[in-house]
Amino acid sequence: MIGLVVVSHSERAADGIAEVAAEMGGETHIEPVGGDGRGGIGTVPDDIEAALAAVDDGEGVVVLVDLGSAVMNAEVAIEMADTEAVVADAPVLEGAVNAAVAATSPTATLDTVRERAEAAREIDKL
């Protein structure tokens, strides 16, 4: 199954986003990672790399990020990892929910899950 990693500058935000996505994603492996490792705001490539390893079962991982340096640090972590992973260009919450649902499909691939996450950019809220 395709795994998901939610990266946020806030540990609490990452946890909450992963919690919401898990409600829709059944058995999807979702790992939140956020904060600077000392209780502050930020992201840490080593923590992201560990999250990639935690959810990877050999089929790959889609990474959802909030903004700015989370993208850069996720890309650094992917380069360091022994995991096939991609960063989705998607709104983090809606993208995580879409990706979690897509990952439950028996025909899910890294590309189809990333595409469903990115389709969340088109969601109208009103």
Side-chain angles (χ1 to χ4, degrees):
M1 178 177 281
I2 303 299
L4 303 179
V5 171
V6 175
V7 180
S8 174
H9 282 73
S10 165
E11 181 178 8
R12 291 188 329 207
D15 289 343
I17 292 163
E19 179 183 18
V20 172
E23 278 294 311
M24 301 300 291
E27 300 296 316
T28 302
H29 301 255
I30 306 170
E31 186 71 23
V33 59
D36 67 359
R38 297 181 308 274
I41 298 295
T43 59
V44 179
D46 290 339
D47 294 346
I48 300 167
E49 182 184 13
L52 292 168
V55 299
D56 183 32
D57 69 359
E59 292 189 39
V61 179
V62 174
V63 181
L64 290 300
V65 296
D66 59 4
L67 50 94
S69 63
V71 175
M72 178 184 63
N73 285 335
E75 289 172 344
V76 168
I78 290 168
E79 288 178 17
M80 296 186 313
D82 290 329
T83 301
E84 184 178 2
V86 295
V87 176
D89 184 11
V92 65
L93 175 59
E94 294 89 338
V97 170
N98 275 8
V101 172
T104 65
S105 170
T107 61
T109 66
L110 196 56
D111 287 336
T112 63
V113 174
R114 179 189 45 80
E115 288 167 3
R116 287 304 309 145
E118 291 176 350
R121 291 183 298 206
E122 305 303 319
I123 295 173
D124 290 327
K125 294 190 184 202
L126 298 179

